[in-house]
Amino acid sequence: MTLFAPCDGAWCNIGVIPNAQISISPEEAKAAPGAFVVIDTNIALDLLVFDNPDCLPLAAALAASQLRWLATAAMRSELARVLGYPLIAARLARRNLAAEAVLAAFDQRVHLVAEAPPRAPCVCKDPDDQVFIDLAVARRARLLSKDQAVLTMRKRLAAQGVVVQALLAL
């Protein structure tokens, strides 16, 4: 069964994993500001591959359902592509970790937004980061990124209701 929730005037389905769907209403989003988070690929790697201790608060907040990690298929595809980079693949091999296991961990943690959000009015200099900005603006979600191109957009994104942080600060 697929559940649908209104998303800024359109209807979309949202899932925890690609084959499971959940419903997140705008009322729920407004009742829990900051409960939604969009995580860029570098921080996803810190969380899922590198076990960066700076991500412990984020991991705890996700595990306790204090935050809901929103992602799109394009974000998952980018993570899959990056996992194939030679330096990342070597790190995975040293940790005896398969890229498929990292993607499975991603799938278990994210609420997959089935439809790509509309282009945000704020355009990033790095086109690879635009998908994260678009989703954060569309859902008024917190955006976690260490990318300088995103961090320099803090004020413009704040005007769109998006808090940008390099580390999780609750």
Side-chain angles (χ1 to χ4, degrees), residues 60-149:
L62 291 169
S65 298
Q66 293 172 327
L67 289 176
R68 293 184 186 179
W69 181 357
L70 301 178
T72 63
M75 293 171 190
R76 187 184 192 282
S77 295
E78 179 178 333
L79 177 61
R81 179 176 52 85
V82 170
L83 290 171
Y85 288 179
L87 289 174
I88 304 296
R91 180 72 173 258
L92 291 173
R94 280 195 305 273
R95 298 196 61 219
N96 212 16
L97 187 60
E100 294 79 18
V102 175
L103 291 171
F106 175 89
D107 291 340
Q108 290 172 347
R109 287 168 176 79
V110 304
H111 298 275
L112 190 67
V113 177
E115 295 181 24
R119 180 79 170 218
C122 303
V123 178
C124 187
K125 289 180 182 178
D126 183 346
D128 289 338
D129 292 323
Q130 192 64 44
V131 294
F132 301 100
I133 291 165
D134 293 344
L135 183 58
V137 169
R139 297 310 302 237
R140 301 271 192 273
R142 184 183 317 217
L143 176 57
L144 298 182
S145 176
K146 295 189 292 184
D147 190 303
Q148 195 58 39

